């Protein structure tokens, strides 16, 4: 007896009851393939597929009833039709992607340059080095589309503060040639909208900021502490941080540093005020080891 792959059963029998553009397109293509078959085949296939709705797919009764009804050749052919429809959809998808990529490349070539000074500095912690830079743009109006670093392939997470957008990346040298491409914030909202997520969205406008980074040194990351009345204040020697928190290890509680902006993906203020002294303070950076990219929380002892 031919065993039906559970993924196919779930995706192409049950998920058609849900509405999304991808599923609807695949269902349309499968139906077009089925229309080429004679009525006898379609009726028998309907009878076999109805069996799947009666049992859990691991239920032995499912296998027995499919065997009794002689469904094996019909299900095999149905799987072949599904694969054919999926291949058709994949080809069309590849074509759409190529067209979208071409349009985006044209937009990038036409990107309007924003000529403003970019502030940057190097920072090191536990022997690891990072570059931090602030794009002098209105964070509530712009969104980062992509970051290009000449000759490098580095992760570049960003966050928003009240006076700009901050980027950081792991550093192995003191000089970098960097171009940041930006779009209007509305494009980011469309991109992450549930209604738009299956479309190939192309920004109306792309802007760029270019800067050459030349560092003389990497300053040591420090954390300072002080008493303010009965409270404890902890402060990094940075204008903003990507993410940081205080940890009360014994009770398993952590207190996040406050957001630096009322915005999506906010940076964190470089200081925190606490009622009780924590066991540890952590700050987060993106790291790159070989081809492995990950976020790392560094424990920092206050001076």
């Amino acid at each position: 007896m031919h065993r039906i792959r559970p993924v196919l059963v779930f995706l192409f029998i049950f998920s058609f009851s849900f509405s999304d553009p991808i599923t609807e397109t695949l269902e349309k293509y499968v139906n077009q393939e089925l229309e080429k078959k004679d009525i006898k085949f379609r009726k028998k296939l309907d009878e076999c597929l109805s069996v799947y709705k009666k049992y859990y797919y691991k239920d032995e009764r499912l296998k027995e009833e499919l065997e009794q009804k002689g469904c094996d050749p019909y299900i095999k052919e149905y799987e072949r039709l599904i694969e054919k429809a999926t291949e058709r959809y994949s080809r069309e998808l590849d074509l759409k992607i190529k067209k979208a990529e071409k349009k985006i490349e044209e937009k990038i070539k036409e990107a309007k340059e924003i000529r403003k000074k970019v502030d940057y500095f190097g920072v090191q912690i536990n022997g690891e080095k990072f570059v931090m830079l602030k794009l002098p743009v209105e964070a509530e109006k712009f969104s980062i589309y992509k970051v290009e670093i000449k000759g490098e392939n580095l992760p570049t997470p960003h966050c928003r503060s009240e006076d700009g957008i901050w980027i950081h990346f792991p550093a192995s040298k003191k000089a970098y040639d960097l171009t940041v491409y930006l779009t209007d914030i509305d494009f980011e909202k469309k991109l992450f909208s549930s209604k738009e997520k299956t479309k190939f969205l192309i920004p109306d406008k792309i802007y760029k900021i270019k800067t050459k980074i030349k560092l003389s040194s990497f300053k040591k990351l420090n954390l300072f502490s002080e008493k303010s009345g009965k409270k404890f204040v902890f402060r990094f020697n940075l204008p903003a941080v990507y993410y940081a928190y205080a940890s009360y290890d014994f009770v398993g509680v952590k207190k996040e540093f406050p957001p630096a902006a009322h915005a999506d993906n906010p940076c964190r203020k470089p200081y925190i005020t606490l009622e009780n002294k924590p066991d540890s303070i952590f700050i987060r950076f993106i790291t790159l080891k070989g081809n492995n990219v990950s976020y790392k929380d560094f424990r920092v002892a206050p001076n």
Side-chain angles (χ1 to χ4, degrees):
M1 172 66 187
H2 176 69
R3 294 183 65 84
I4 301 299
R5 282 169 284 177
V7 172
L8 284 176
V9 173
F10 175 79
L11 180 61
F12 292 100
I13 296 177
F14 299 103
S15 69
F16 282 165
S17 61
F18 299 95
S19 178
D20 72 68
I22 296 174
T23 303
E24 288 172 3
T25 302
L26 286 171
E27 182 182 14
K28 175 185 171 183
Y29 290 171
V30 171
N31 285 336
Q32 286 175 354
E33 292 299 326
L34 285 172
E35 286 171 6
K36 298 174 185 177
K37 296 291 184 179
D38 58 36
I39 295 175
K40 182 182 175 183
F41 176 88
R42 295 202 298 270
K43 282 185 177 180
K44 185 64 179 179
L45 180 63
D46 285 342
E47 182 186 346
C48 293
L49 293 179
S50 67
V51 177
Y52 281 94
K53 297 178 181 179
K54 292 169 62 178
Y55 307 106
Y56 178 60
Y57 77 90
K58 288 186 178 179
D59 194 320
E60 283 299 315
R61 291 174 296 175
L62 171 62
K63 180 180 176 181
E64 290 171 5
E65 189 166 338
L66 288 173
E67 286 178 344
Q68 290 171 4
K69 293 183 180 294
C71 290
D72 186 48
Y74 296 91
I75 295 299
K76 278 184 177 178
E77 180 61 10
Y78 185 50
E79 283 191 355
R80 190 188 70 80
L81 297 180
I82 288 171
E83 288 174 359
K84 188 175 179 182
T86 305
E87 287 169 4
R88 175 185 170 187
Y89 181 80
S90 296
R91 287 194 301 271
E92 292 180 1
L93 198 62
D94 288 343
L95 227 83
K96 288 179 181 178
I97 290 171
K98 286 177 183 177
K99 286 181 180 179
E101 285 175 343
K102 188 176 179 181
K103 287 182 180 179
I104 289 169
E105 284 174 10
E106 291 170 0
K107 289 276 186 181
I108 286 173
K109 287 178 182 177
E110 298 167 359
K112 181 180 178 182
E113 186 168 358
I114 299 173
R115 297 181 181 274
K116 289 185 178 181
K117 182 185 175 184
V118 175
D119 294 324
Y120 59 82
F121 57 88
V123 61
Q124 62 178 328
I125 176 172
N126 296 352
E128 298 195 44
K129 298 176 180 178
F130 305 91
V131 172
M132 293 185 69
L133 60 103
K134 184 182 75 174
L135 302 178
V137 297
E138 296 174 86
E140 72 276 9
K141 291 185 178 180
F142 291 95
S143 174
I144 290 181
Y145 186 69
K146 72 171 182 172
V147 180
E148 286 185 354
I149 303 176
K150 189 175 180 180
E152 303 285 347
N153 183 22
L154 297 172
T156 53
H158 68 277
C159 60
R160 291 183 170 92
S161 65
E162 293 289 355
D163 59 349
I165 300 177
W166 284 88
I167 297 171
H168 81 272
F169 57 87
S172 58
K173 56 187 183 180
K174 293 181 178 179
Y176 294 92
D177 192 346
L178 183 139
T179 303
V180 182
Y181 294 94
L182 303 131
T183 64
D184 296 316
I185 192 72
D186 288 340
F187 176 73
E188 181 184 273
K189 291 176 181 177
K190 284 182 181 178
L191 201 62
F192 291 100
S193 163
S194 59
K195 293 180 181 178
E196 304 286 353
K197 65 183 177 181
T198 55
K199 297 181 181 179
F200 294 98
L201 295 176
I202 298 171
D204 294 327
K205 294 179 182 178
I206 294 182
Y207 312 86
K208 66 182 176 183
I209 295 179
K210 301 176 74 174
T211 188
K212 290 184 183 295
I213 294 172
K214 292 182 180 179
L215 298 168
S216 57
S217 62
F218 291 86
K219 69 178 182 180
K220 182 183 177 182
L221 179 74
N222 285 316
L223 177 68
F224 302 98
S225 64
E226 62 183 44
K227 285 288 293 287
S228 178
K230 293 183 178 181
K231 296 182 179 181
F232 298 88
V233 180
F234 296 88
R235 185 185 302 271
F236 287 106
N237 60 333
L238 299 173
V241 298
Y242 182 73
Y243 183 73
Y245 60 91
S247 175
Y248 297 88
D249 302 337
F250 183 73
V251 292
V253 172
K254 71 178 185 181
K255 298 281 187 179
E256 297 178 338
F257 277 52
H262 297 290
D264 291 332
N265 191 28
C267 299
R268 300 287 166 162
K269 292 179 180 179
Y271 57 85
I272 189 171
T273 302
L274 300 166
E275 298 282 347
N276 300 299
K277 190 174 182 179
D279 298 305
S280 311
I281 301 284
F282 290 89
I283 186 169
R284 182 171 296 171
F285 287 96
I286 194 79
T287 61
L288 178 66
K289 301 295 180 186
N291 293 323
N292 297 317
V293 176
S294 63
Y295 286 104
K296 183 176 179 179
D297 293 348
F298 292 87
R299 184 173 181 171
V300 187
N303 291 333

